[in-house]
């Protein structure tokens, strides 16, 4: 297939308020690319649980950045609808390890990301799949911010390390794949340039903040209890523990080549991320 996306048609960015989507929107706007910011609370109201909201988003869009709802993935149906509306290109956010059995400990069958990938690849659209490892921004914007705030981070990851990826790099790869030729049919596995244990990552953040943040290893069961006490549903808590098990078992320490393959440059180092993210509000 030739890569023919008509760049005068807008890019539909789902997950528009999220860590990746918000950055992709900013990068596309900087390039002068017309965009549709879509999510339940965005200008273009889009809800995975309400298929009636999908058509307005898709009508007239040239390409789509696709962030699924992990608990309710309806990607195959959505992709079919995108094809019917004449969308030409899709860039899907998946996750590292989804094609490896038992990468997410105790999870049976194909994780939902993998089923979504299959739908995207079979769609006939120009497609690019992004498989990032653990986001560095989980520590400054995501579910791990409480640890940095309180000075203690309890997690069931033992001494495992992760090659934390800066979400700015994921966004740069997505923006390139959405607007440039040469990315069709590619699956980019994305990580940062080196692996750090949680204690090492927290030491770097502590130095920027000027306050010590301590890592406290806990068991999976203790962590599930912590999450339930915070109001998490049991299923979500177990899924998070399964995802964290990839760090504990050393699988997330792998350095992946996707940023270099897609952009011809190295990914941003964790130190640069920490220095920037923790030296500005709300930190
Ligand atoms: N965090 C990691 O380390 C990591 C690593 C690998 C892969 N991933 C994958 O990354 C994806 C999340 O991407 P992200 O971090 O960019 O997003 P995020 O920061 O988790 O935010 C989620 C986004 O999805 C929107 N959303 C939530 N429920 C929705 C619904 N029912 N309908 C429509 N939109 C909905 C939210 O906006 P509204 O609330 O306005 O709807 C928000 O924009 C997940 O699939 C996750 O598995 C994450």
């Amino acid at each position: 297939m030739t890569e023919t996306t008509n760049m005068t048609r807008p890019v539909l960015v789902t997950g528009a308020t999220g860590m990746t989507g918000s950055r992709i929107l900013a990068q596309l706007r900087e390039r002068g690319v017309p965009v549709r910011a879509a999510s339940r609370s965005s200008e273009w109201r889009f809800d995975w649980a309400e298929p009636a909201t999908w058509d307005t988003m898709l009508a007239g869009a040239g390409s789509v950045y696709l962030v699924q709802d992990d608990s309710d993935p309806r990607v195959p149906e959505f992709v079919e609808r995108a094809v019917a509306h004449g969308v030409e290109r899709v860039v899907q956010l998946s996750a590292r390890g989804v094609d490896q059995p038992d990468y997410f400990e105790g999870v049976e069958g194909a994780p939902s990301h993998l089923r979504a990938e299959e739908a995207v690849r079979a769609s006939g659209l120009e497609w690019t799949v992004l498989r990032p490892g653990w986001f560095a921004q989980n520590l400054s914007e995501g579910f791990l911010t409480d640890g940095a705030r309180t000075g203690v981070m309890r997690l069931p990851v033992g001494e495992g390390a992760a090659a934390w990826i800066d979400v700015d790099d994921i966004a740069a790869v997505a923006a390139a794949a959405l607007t440039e030729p040469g990315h069709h049919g590619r699956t980019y596995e994305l990580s940062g340039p080196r692996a750090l244990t949680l204690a090492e990552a927290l030491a770097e953040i502590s130095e920027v903040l000027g306050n010590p943040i301590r890592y406290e290893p806990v068991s999976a069961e203790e962590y599930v209890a912590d999450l339930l006490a915070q109001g998490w549903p049991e299923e979500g808590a177990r899924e998070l523990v399964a995802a964290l098990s990839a760090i504990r078992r050393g699988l997330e320490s792998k350095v992946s080549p996707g940023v270099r393959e897609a952009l011809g440059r190295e990914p941003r180092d964790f130190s640069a991320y920490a220095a920037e993210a923790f030296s500005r509000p709300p930190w």
Side-chain angles (χ1 to χ4, degrees):
M1 181 192 296
T2 54
E3 296 182 52
T4 54
T5 297
N6 177 349
M7 294 318 303
T8 60
R9 290 201 287 154
V11 177
L12 172 60
V13 178
T14 64
T17 56
M19 286 189 273
T20 61
S22 59
R23 287 171 168 83
I24 291 165
L25 280 170
Q27 293 193 21
L28 293 177
R29 285 182 175 130
E30 260 173 41
R31 294 173 185 220
V33 175
V35 290
R36 290 179 179 173
S39 78
R40 293 167 304 180
S41 63
S42 291
E43 187 189 347
W44 290 74
R45 206 188 80 78
F46 166 78
D47 192 335
W48 281 107
E50 287 179 42
T53 63
W54 301 355
D55 290 308
T56 322
M57 308 292 108
L58 288 166
S63 46
V64 175
Y65 174 66
L66 203 163
V67 178
Q68 69 176 44
D69 173 2
D70 291 352
S71 64
D72 181 20
R74 300 187 186 198
V75 174
E77 193 185 338
F78 180 82
V79 168
E80 261 177 42
R81 218 114 23 118
V83 172
H85 278 285
V87 168
E88 292 172 5
R89 183 178 295 193
V90 60
V91 175
Q92 184 212 344
L93 181 62
S94 181
R96 195 156 77 156
V98 292
D99 56 339
Q100 294 170 42
D102 205 34
Y103 194 90
F104 307 101
E105 196 171 50
V107 173
E108 283 175 30
S112 61
H113 284 109
L114 192 56
R115 288 197 299 275
E117 286 188 11
E118 284 160 5
V120 162
R121 290 197 181 93
S123 65
L125 299 174
E126 295 172 5
W127 61 265
T128 308
V129 169
L130 311 183
R131 284 184 181 166
W134 277 81
F135 299 178
Q137 274 79 357
N138 288 326
L139 296 157
S140 50
E141 300 170 28
F143 77 103
L144 295 176
T145 47
D146 273 0
R149 281 209 179 86
T150 60
V152 183
M153 195 170 292
R154 286 164 59 85
L155 274 183
V157 296
E159 300 307 311
W164 308 86
I165 175 134
D166 189 317
V167 179
D168 284 340
D169 281 337
I170 303 174
V173 172
L178 286 161
T179 58
E180 295 168 9
H183 303 286
H184 168 48
R186 302 296 305 267
T187 298
Y188 292 121
E189 194 175 287
L190 305 167
S191 80
R194 67 185 167 115
L196 292 85
T197 64
L198 195 61
E200 288 166 344
L202 294 181
E204 297 216 10
I205 294 168
S206 299
E207 193 161 328
V208 178
L209 289 174
N211 295 316
I213 309 166
R214 184 168 53 84
Y215 167 47
E216 190 178 314
V218 294
S219 69
E221 285 313 314
E222 284 172 306
Y223 190 59
V224 168
D226 282 3
L227 293 174
L228 296 182
Q230 291 164 31
W232 280 61
E234 169 127 20
E235 195 186 341
R238 301 255 169 228
E239 280 170 10
L240 181 54
V241 166
L244 286 163
S245 76
I247 300 182
R248 177 174 53 76
R249 292 176 294 145
L251 303 172
E252 277 294 316
S253 63
K254 182 181 164 199
V255 171
S256 295
V259 172
R260 193 180 333 112
E261 289 170 351
L263 303 177
R265 65 160 173 84
E266 294 306 312
R268 198 169 178 224
D269 190 70
F270 187 88
S271 302
Y273 150 75
E276 191 202 320
F278 289 94
S279 58
R280 65 174 186 218
W283 300 100

